[in-house]
Amino acid sequence: MYHYTESGLSNVYLKNGFTVEQIDGEEYTSIDDMNGLHKAIAQVIVDSNRPLSNEEFKFLRIELNLSQKMLGMRFGVDEQTIARYEKGQTKIPRTTDVALRTLYMESQQRNNPVSYFLDLLADTEAQEAAKEIRLEEVENHWEVAA
């Protein structure tokens, strides 16, 4: 199992789909399909039934290729507000959480109704438990590891 921290997320572990090499006494890890891995991570985040963490919020923003300023403009807040969400200094409002998930799904041309996300986020007390993301590469694409 490889702890994949280069994504900025602390809870991603890979079962396979990577190679570890020793070169001149240094250990190097390469990922077989980085784009596919990032899409799989984003999909797990978007589909989760708990509020986005600050790390997940930032990961999705980066996957959308949006600056803090551009995302702030879309959400009607300034870029410092987005920065505070990403640093964990300000709680991410539920509507902002849902809007970011919806933007990501739209970018992937997957049309899930906003009510789907509202239902997922409705029970905030039950959603406080942390969840690790464990992925494996199966037949040239990334999936949630069993």
Side-chain angles (χ1 to χ4, degrees), residues 22-130:
Q22 292 281 340
I23 302 173
D24 296 331
E26 296 285 329
E27 188 174 279
Y28 295 90
T29 304
S30 61
I31 306 294
D32 298 341
D33 176 15
M34 185 68 76
N35 290 334
L37 174 59
H38 278 221
K39 282 185 179 186
I41 292 169
Q43 195 60 54
V44 169
I45 291 169
V46 167
D47 289 344
S48 75
N49 63 351
R50 57 188 169 70
L52 291 175
S53 71
N54 59 312
E55 294 172 328
E56 292 167 336
F57 186 94
K58 183 176 182 177
F59 182 84
L60 290 177
R61 177 185 60 79
I62 291 169
E63 286 302 298
L64 286 166
N65 198 29
L66 292 172
S67 66
Q68 290 176 337
K69 183 176 184 173
M70 291 302 296
L71 187 60
M73 286 174 54
R74 291 192 88 172
F75 290 167
V77 298
D78 73 33
E79 64 189 287
Q80 291 305 312
T81 300
I82 301 298
R84 285 191 295 276
Y85 296 158
E86 293 180 357
K87 292 176 186 173
Q89 295 172 339
T90 302
K91 184 176 178 179
I92 301 164
R94 207 172 108 204
T95 53
T96 302
D97 179 309
V98 170
L100 186 59
R101 291 173 196 247
T102 303
L103 278 176
Y104 182 80
M105 293 301 288
E106 182 181 279
S107 78
Q108 300 302 301
Q109 299 176 343
R110 296 185 62 182
N111 297 320
N112 285 341
V114 172
S115 61
Y116 168 79
F117 294 111
L118 290 173
D119 289 343
L120 286 177
L121 298 172
D123 187 8
T124 55
E125 289 179 15
Q127 300 154 5
E128 293 301 318

